């Protein structure tokens, strides 16, 4: 059970709590089809049976221990070609909040994973409903590992692991919603350069040489930034190449193959 947050102006004021559901993103999208939930509506559950992640992956989260929720936004002011800014806003809000709370620097791993100490602590899944060339509803789904201590994935962590203390889910939710709202207002006010700059300043591995995989090819390169469509810019053998989210992945040191 969650309470309506007192520290936001519109995020979470309409709160839909279900003890269990397939996926809060799917439920939020269904609500948008059936009715017209107000902007800022929050759909939250203690247990997802079919939590969805990026690239068709599943999102696993131990029941009652973490935050799994979706927000309904209506950014009619935003051109569809600028939709990456929604990912920028969301990633930055989570990153800032986690850094402040845990006193440990969190990074945004492009396009929108949040890492602390090289481990993934949060994931974002943004899904859109469009009408013509405008957004009608955007569902921003967030999974944040809060109190879970053991994971199937060796690359996952949680706030309680990082901080060494069990966290109050309601308080974490409230803090996060306040950061999200503040960043969303920046977007609404047109502060896009500031948002891009902040995003780049917290981007994992920026200006560092890393190994990537694109298709079957493995190569090293240096991330130099992200373009306006949200494509990753990587300097490979002296020239800048851009990659979409499905076109490139990081290769972990133990997976690097040498010819
Ligand atoms: C990822 O990193 O792959 C994205 C994970 C997103 C998970 C959240 S949990 C709440 C919302 N509902 C879903 O089914 N997915 C998102």
């Amino acid at each position: 059970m969650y309470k309506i947050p007192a520290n936001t102006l519109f995020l979470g004021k309409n709160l839909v709590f279900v003890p269990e559901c397939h996926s809060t993103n799917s439920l939020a999208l269904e609500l948008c089809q059936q009715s017209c939930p107000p902007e800022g509506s929050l759909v939250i559950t203690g247990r997802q049976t079919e939590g969805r992640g990026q690239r068709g992956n599943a999102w696993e989260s131990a029941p009652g221990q973490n935050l799994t929720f979706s927000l309904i936004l209506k950014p009619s002011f935003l051109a569809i070609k600028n939709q990456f800014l929604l990912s920028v806003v969301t990633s930055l809000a989570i990153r800032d909040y986690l850094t402040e709370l845990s006193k440990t620097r969190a990074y945004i791993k492009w396009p929108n994973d949040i890492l602390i100490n090289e481990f993934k602590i949060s994931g974002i899944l943004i899904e859109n409903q469009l009408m013509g060339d405008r957004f009608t509803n955007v569902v921003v789904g967030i999974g944040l590992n809060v109190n879970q201590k053991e994971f199937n994935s060796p690359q996952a962590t949680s706030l309680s692991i990082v901080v060494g203390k069990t966290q109050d889910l309601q308080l974490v939710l409230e803090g996060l919603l306040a950061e999200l709202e503040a960043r969303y207002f920046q977007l609404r006010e047109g502060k896009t350069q500031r948002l891009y700059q902040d995003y780049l300043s917290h981007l994992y591995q920026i200006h560092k040489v890393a190994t990537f995989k694109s298709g079957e090819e493995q190569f090293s390169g240096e991330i130099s930034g992200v373009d306006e469509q949200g494509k990753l810019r990587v300097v490979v053998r002296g020239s800048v190449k851009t990659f979409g989210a499905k076109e490139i992945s990081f290769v972990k040191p133990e997976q690097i193959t040498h010819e």
Side-chain angles (χ1 to χ4, degrees):
M1 201 57 193
Y2 289 90
K3 288 190 298 225
I4 292 177
N7 59 340
T8 56
L9 291 174
F10 78 105
L11 280 189
K13 295 296 172 189
N14 178 41
L15 190 152
V16 179
F17 170 74
V18 283
E20 175 179 316
C21 70
H22 44 329
S23 145
T24 56
N25 263 40
S26 305
L27 185 55
L29 288 166
E30 283 157 30
L31 289 176
C32 292
Q33 305 275 17
Q34 290 157 10
S35 58
C36 189
E39 173 156 52
S41 293
L42 168 67
V43 180
I44 185 160
T45 189
R47 178 169 196 260
Q48 289 189 131
T49 51
E50 287 170 61
R52 297 188 287 112
Q54 294 160 33
R55 303 188 183 116
N57 292 325
W59 180 257
E60 311 286 352
S61 178
Q65 296 188 25
N66 303 314
L67 287 175
T68 45
F69 65 93
S70 303
L71 292 163
I72 298 171
L73 300 177
K74 298 173 190 272
S76 49
F77 58 88
L78 190 71
I80 287 166
K81 66 177 171 51
N82 294 330
Q83 62 179 289
F84 179 62
L85 282 164
L86 293 167
S87 166
V88 169
V89 160
T90 312
S91 329
L92 270 175
I94 302 174
R95 190 226 78 94
D96 291 350
Y97 179 64
L98 294 181
T99 300
E100 189 191 306
L101 184 71
S102 69
K103 309 277 178 270
T104 308
R105 186 164 178 193
Y107 288 88
I108 302 165
K109 184 177 175 197
W110 178 87
N112 50 18
D113 286 348
I114 310 299
L115 306 187
I116 293 191
N117 298 334
E118 303 271 329
F119 293 93
K120 181 163 170 174
I121 190 163
S122 178
I124 302 162
L125 180 67
I126 300 181
E127 296 180 298
N128 305 319
Q129 287 177 336
L130 309 174
M131 175 105 69
D133 63 351
R134 291 277 137 185
F135 291 105
T136 44
N137 296 295
V138 172
V139 170
V140 176
I142 296 175
L144 171 62
N145 299 330
V146 181
N147 290 323
Q148 189 169 342
K149 288 265 170 49
E150 283 169 16
F151 296 90
N152 291 333
S153 161
Q155 283 134 39
T157 192
S158 69
L159 256 176
S160 65
I161 293 176
V162 176
V163 178
K165 202 161 90 196
T166 302
Q167 303 293 311
D168 181 315
L169 290 175
Q170 174 75 29
L171 289 182
V172 175
L173 175 68
E174 285 179 11
L176 198 49
L177 291 181
E179 291 281 351
L180 279 160
E181 192 172 85
R183 286 290 186 181
Y184 188 63
F185 284 152
Q186 286 185 340
L187 178 63
R188 225 153 64 175
E189 288 156 13
K191 297 188 175 141
T192 52
Q193 284 317 311
R194 158 97 197 266
L195 287 165
Y196 271 118
Q197 265 170 22
D198 289 355
Y199 182 88
L200 292 183
S201 66
H202 299 299
L203 197 61
Y204 177 68
Q205 295 285 40
I206 191 162
H207 305 314
K208 290 193 180 137
V209 176
T211 305
F212 299 93
K213 194 173 178 190
S214 181
E216 287 309 303
E217 197 198 348
Q218 209 178 83
F219 54 90
S220 56
E222 191 181 306
I223 298 176
S224 62
V226 175
D227 73 10
E228 308 244 307
Q229 276 83 51
K231 290 192 169 188
L232 191 69
R233 287 197 178 112
V234 186
V235 182
V236 185
R237 292 181 288 274
S239 56
V240 180
K241 294 188 186 289
T242 55
F243 298 90
K246 291 181 185 145
E247 296 166 349
I248 191 169
S249 54
F250 283 88
V251 179
K252 295 181 208 91
E254 65 274 18
Q255 290 172 340
I256 296 173
T257 54
H258 299 278
E259 289 186 358

